[in-house]
Amino acid sequence: MSSILRALILVTLLAGCSFPGGNVNAPRNLDNACSILDQRRSFLPAFKAAKRKYGVPISVQMAIIWQESKFKAKAKTPRKYTLWVIPTGRQSSAYGYSQALDGTWKEYKASAGRWGASRTSIRDSADFMGWYMAGNRRELGISMSDTRNQYLAYHEGRSGYRRGSYKSKRWLLNVANKLEDRAIMYHVQLQRCGKT
């Protein structure tokens, strides 16, 4: 077999492999935790690793990732426009499954010693969320199973949470309350399919 043919076969095989950022589209049926985990086999080991390391329940991780990216590896914030037509960048630097900001991601990589971590990797994103929520527990006293307040601190940052910046944002309080319900729904589903 010629070396050119071998190279073509190798490139074709590699192109079909699932790389960490390979799942660009969201899974189907985002209201069913078991279905999500069946469609994305790499998710459950990532969530379990973050649960073991930081104590954050799988249902809480899934609810917040649902809110932040709808389980899309390369999720970005919407574009901003000047005069309604001229693109001027994005609303923020949030990116990936966890929608981590550039600065917070950089802090995570340094603090956790995970220099090669990628926001498009579910394992790295779950670890980041666990790391951030463990900081919320340590600095703000928020339980790891308190989806509502973990999300408020995640969204507003710890300083904003301390100041109570979320209290004047009715829309954000509604989102946080709905996430609490989603985490409960996911928890019940995960118990039924034995994936807690």
Side-chain angles (χ1 to χ4, degrees):
M1 185 182 295
S2 75
S3 59
I4 293 174
L5 182 57
R6 275 192 293 248
L8 285 173
I9 291 171
L10 181 62
V11 167
T12 303
L13 289 173
L14 288 175
C17 292
S18 177
F19 293 105
N23 291 318
V24 176
N25 297 321
R28 293 175 312 282
N29 195 2
L30 296 180
D31 291 333
N32 186 316
C34 300
S35 174
I36 293 166
L37 297 178
D38 287 343
Q39 292 172 63
R40 300 292 190 269
R41 299 287 181 182
S42 61
F43 282 16
L44 185 58
F47 296 146
K48 282 186 173 182
K51 180 181 178 183
R52 276 191 308 273
K53 188 172 179 180
Y54 301 105
V56 61
I58 294 170
S59 57
V60 174
Q61 295 176 62
M62 290 184 72
I64 292 177
I65 287 178
W66 173 86
Q67 177 61 37
E68 293 297 290
S69 67
K70 301 296 187 273
F71 297 96
K72 294 179 187 171
K74 296 182 180 181
K76 296 177 184 178
T77 59
R79 292 189 182 278
K80 294 188 298 184
Y81 294 90
T82 300
L83 300 174
W84 303 280
V85 292
I86 304 167
T88 58
R90 301 236 173 233
Q91 291 178 358
S92 77
S93 63
Y95 181 65
Y97 287 113
S98 61
Q99 289 293 282
L101 298 171
D102 289 350
T104 312
W105 189 258
K106 186 177 179 181
E107 178 187 343
Y108 159 70
K109 292 197 312 184
S111 173
R114 297 184 53 115
W115 295 105
S118 167
R119 289 181 276 185
T120 60
S121 161
I122 192 63
R123 181 169 289 277
D124 294 338
S125 291
D127 192 76
F128 166 80
M129 288 178 58
W131 168 83
Y132 195 87
M133 291 181 194
N136 291 344
R137 179 183 55 201
R138 185 176 55 255
E139 296 180 31
L140 303 170
I142 302 172
S143 164
M144 295 301 254
S145 59
D146 183 349
T147 309
R148 180 184 185 277
N149 285 298
Q150 280 288 356
Y151 181 71
L152 290 171
Y154 192 82
H155 187 276
E156 297 294 280
R158 293 187 193 113
S159 297
Y161 184 85
R162 273 191 206 94
R163 285 192 317 271
S165 61
Y166 58 90
K167 292 177 182 175
S168 63
K169 299 177 181 176
R170 187 175 222 55
W171 66 269
L172 180 58
L173 292 170
N174 288 337
V175 168
N177 291 334
K178 288 178 182 175
L179 278 186
E180 183 76 33
D181 293 341
R182 179 167 289 275
I184 291 167
M185 177 184 77
Y186 279 168
H187 178 72
V188 169
Q189 292 169 346
L190 291 168
Q191 283 184 315
R192 285 188 189 141
C193 66
K195 295 182 179 178
T196 54

